Amino acid sequence: MKIAVITDSSAYLTEVIKKKDNLFVLDIPVIIDGVSYVEGENLTAKEFYQKMAASSELPKTSQPSVAELEKILSNLPDLGYTHVLGIFLSSGISGFYQNIQYLKDEFEGLTIAFPDSKITSAPLGKMVSDSLMWAEEGLTFEQILNKIEAMAADTTAYILVDDLNHLVKGGRLSNGAAVLGNLLSIKPILYFNDEGVIEVFEKIRTEKKAYKRLADVVAEHVATGNYTVRVLEANAMDKAEVFRTLLEEKGIDSPIEIVPLGSVVGTHLGEGAIACCYTPNV
């Protein structure tokens, strides 16, 4: 058995993981003023936020290429692969998951699974990196798939954004929720629900109170088990450090890494957003 893992560029991956021979990553282009960019090729995260600030309209993203996925799958048997695990951004925020289901039965000699991550960014990256680790350790394909499904069932991210219009125009949040937040000066806490859809979790009057409430919510949940907790920031390191301190004051004793939100996720959250995610260590 030889396992290949495929994901998309919304996943946060370390440089070490990116170099794994059995990892394949589908690009998600970001379009700014009609120009297509791929972070890591012709765009850095810093350049993305600069270009977004200078643009007269919000950036857009397109889905990963189904044709590129087909090409990768077609080539894998010649490379000796027998099993494929494709873990992509949540079905609740992209149609890509639904669009690729037919591919599972199209390639003779390959056992293919596309579990729904119901998430993106750092938690998605953890699912990918853990899958690669488990494959190296010799776990069976079924064991790895079961672990990923268990991770997805108990993973979420909570989000605080400066401008809800990014999410609305990108189709990730209803216009009604944005109007409520913007007109009433409410700072809503957003989250990925059990179906991987972004919804309003609670409506808080001020950002300071929202930070405190979110720290309470995360600390209460992770106290029940063994989790990896990360703070994510969209060119907002100062905010992320403040929030990490709040989490540490709540008694979360595991190291809390601050992770940048790249261009794909940053397009929909906007500059200044922060998020907090937790993923079980299964």
Side-chain angles (χ1 to χ4, degrees):
M1 181 180 70
K2 186 177 181 182
I3 299 175
V5 178
I6 310 176
T7 190
D8 60 67
S9 58
S10 74
Y12 172 76
L13 301 169
T14 66
E15 292 303 316
V16 172
I17 294 298
K18 289 178 183 178
K19 294 178 182 178
K20 295 285 186 179
D21 290 339
N22 57 333
L23 174 65
F24 302 84
V25 181
L26 300 176
D27 291 330
I28 299 180
V30 175
I31 297 91
I32 307 174
D33 292 330
V35 180
S36 181
Y37 298 92
V38 173
E39 188 172 328
E41 293 184 9
N42 60 349
L43 185 74
T44 65
K46 182 178 180 180
E47 289 170 342
F48 163 72
Y49 287 108
Q50 291 172 342
K51 290 180 181 294
M52 182 167 65
S55 177
S56 59
E57 58 184 30
L58 296 180
K60 300 176 182 177
T61 59
S62 58
Q63 289 187 15
S65 169
V66 175
E68 183 62 26
L69 176 57
E70 287 191 70
K71 181 179 178 181
I72 292 172
L73 292 171
S74 296
N75 292 333
L76 288 178
D78 291 338
L79 298 174
Y81 290 99
T82 57
H83 292 71
V84 181
L85 186 64
I87 320 174
F88 307 101
L89 74 173
S90 171
S91 66
I93 59 173
S94 171
F96 184 69
Y97 174 81
Q98 287 84 0
N99 292 342
I100 63 174
Q101 293 306 309
Y102 76 95
L103 292 174
K104 291 187 292 186
D105 301 318
E106 292 291 308
F107 298 89
E108 186 176 350
L110 285 180
T111 299
I112 302 172
F114 296 139
D116 189 358
S117 72
K118 301 182 181 180
I119 202 71
T120 186
S121 192
L124 175 57
K126 178 172 170 55
M127 292 177 191
V128 170
S129 58
D130 282 2
S131 296
L132 293 165
M133 175 186 69
W134 294 326
E136 291 177 359
E137 291 176 350
L139 272 67
T140 67
F141 188 69
E142 291 74 18
Q143 287 174 322
I144 296 173
L145 181 58
N146 289 339
K147 282 178 173 286
I148 290 302
E149 290 174 342
M151 290 177 74
D154 194 18
T155 291
T156 195
Y158 295 89
I159 308 161
L160 290 168
V161 299
D162 278 352
D163 185 356
L164 290 167
N165 289 322
H166 286 263
L167 283 161
V168 173
K169 292 184 178 180
R172 270 67 181 181
L173 188 68
S174 72
N175 187 55
V179 170
L180 178 65
N182 291 337
L183 292 184
L184 300 183
S185 299
I186 287 172
K187 193 73 174 180
I189 299 174
L190 310 174
Y191 81 120
F192 281 83
N193 67 15
D194 291 342
E195 303 303 318
V197 177
I198 297 175
E199 290 186 339
V200 175
F201 177 71
E202 284 185 10
K203 306 178 187 73
I204 310 295
R205 180 62 65 179
T206 67
E207 183 172 83
K208 185 176 182 180
K209 290 181 179 179
Y211 278 26
K212 290 183 177 180
R213 173 59 178 148
L214 181 50
D216 286 338
V217 170
V218 173
E220 180 180 358
H221 190 95
V222 301
T224 63
N226 180 14
Y227 293 87
T228 293
V229 180
R230 286 168 166 166
V231 177
L232 302 87
E233 52 86 24
N235 204 29
M237 181 59 77
D238 290 347
K239 290 183 179 181
E241 289 176 342
V242 168
F243 186 68
R244 177 168 65 179
T245 299
L246 283 176
L247 291 173
E248 291 170 344
E249 290 173 351
K250 295 294 180 182
I252 298 177
D253 53 6
S254 60
I256 303 172
E257 182 184 6
I258 295 178
V259 173
L261 286 165
S263 59
V264 174
V265 180
T267 290
H268 300 288
L269 299 188
E271 186 173 14
I274 70 162
C276 183
C277 60
Y278 54 74
T279 308
N281 299 311
V282 298

